[in-house]
Amino acid sequence: MACGVPLSAYSRFRFEEPESQPLSGMHVTAIVLLVLIVAVVITMCMCKKSTAYKASGRVFASPGGSPVELQSWEEFQEATSQDDRCVVLGYADWCGHCQQCKPAYEQAAKQSKTPFYQVNCEKAFTAEQMQQLGIQGFPHIVLMSKGNVLRQHSDERTVESFTQFAAS
């Protein structure tokens, strides 16, 4: 039963819009800075040249970028068979030598125009597949062409050594 007094008469039931206040100089500066940051990020993303290429529909390598992690025997075969020349690091998670050489390998990949791949052999390959590739220890670093091993890396595990190996 209504008592005749509208709800808007009570202060807690008033639905008035708050008065808008002008933006302070600090707010304007923050908004302008945010807009500039977004513009810079968008520009950087649009200007960054993509060096990725596709092999049978999948993107595998980015010369001048980080090494591409191959997840399976099939990816390994597909990626390495497409390249005239590529460097592959076969590693195992538990291998201390692999962990030590990975930073130099990644840096060399960024400096090289040759595709660099890496594969966790224990997860991606069977024992027979590792034997087929001649993997007897880790890290196993090879230069490949069209799916065939050209030679195995046997020098120091440095950026310079990996870069020279990729160019040889």
Side-chain angles (χ1 to χ4, degrees):
M1 188 171 247
C3 66
V5 180
L7 286 178
S8 61
Y10 299 99
S11 62
R12 66 181 212 204
F13 292 108
R14 286 192 187 134
F15 300 106
E16 297 175 3
E17 295 208 17
E19 293 181 31
S20 63
Q21 297 178 1
L23 294 176
S24 69
M26 189 168 155
H27 287 110
V28 171
T29 304
I31 291 170
V32 168
L33 185 60
L34 181 63
V35 168
L36 285 173
I37 290 171
V38 169
V40 167
V41 169
I42 290 172
T43 302
M44 288 174 58
C45 290
M46 292 176 68
C47 291
K48 186 177 181 181
K49 63 179 181 180
S50 174
T51 55
Y53 65 93
K54 291 186 177 188
S56 301
R58 288 193 211 153
V59 175
F60 281 112
S62 182
S66 296
V68 174
E69 183 76 28
L70 301 175
Q71 303 292 327
S72 67
W73 175 255
E74 292 76 23
E75 277 189 13
F76 169 80
Q77 287 185 312
E78 188 174 351
T80 58
S81 67
Q82 299 295 319
D83 295 312
D84 289 328
R85 143 183 254 91
C86 64
V87 180
V88 180
L89 165 65
Y91 70 93
D93 286 332
W94 52 263
C95 174
H97 295 292
C98 298
Q99 293 167 5
Q100 287 177 341
C101 83
K102 268 190 165 184
Y105 186 79
E106 290 171 1
Q107 189 62 38
K110 292 176 183 175
Q111 294 178 7
S112 178
K113 293 180 182 176
T114 302
F116 275 60
Y117 300 113
Q118 59 190 26
V119 59
N120 185 333
C121 294
E122 292 187 324
K123 291 182 179 176
F125 300 156
T126 65
E128 292 81 24
Q129 291 164 339
M130 285 195 285
Q131 186 177 13
Q132 181 180 343
L133 292 172
I135 299 173
Q136 296 177 347
F138 299 107
H140 184 78
I141 304 163
V142 292
L143 182 64
M144 298 186 73
S145 176
K146 298 289 185 188
N148 298 310
V149 175
L150 297 178
R151 64 189 189 104
Q152 187 171 343
H153 182 272
S154 58
D155 295 334
E156 294 180 18
R157 298 178 189 127
T158 63
V159 175
E160 296 79 22
S161 175
F162 291 141
T163 305
Q164 289 173 358
F165 182 67
S168 65

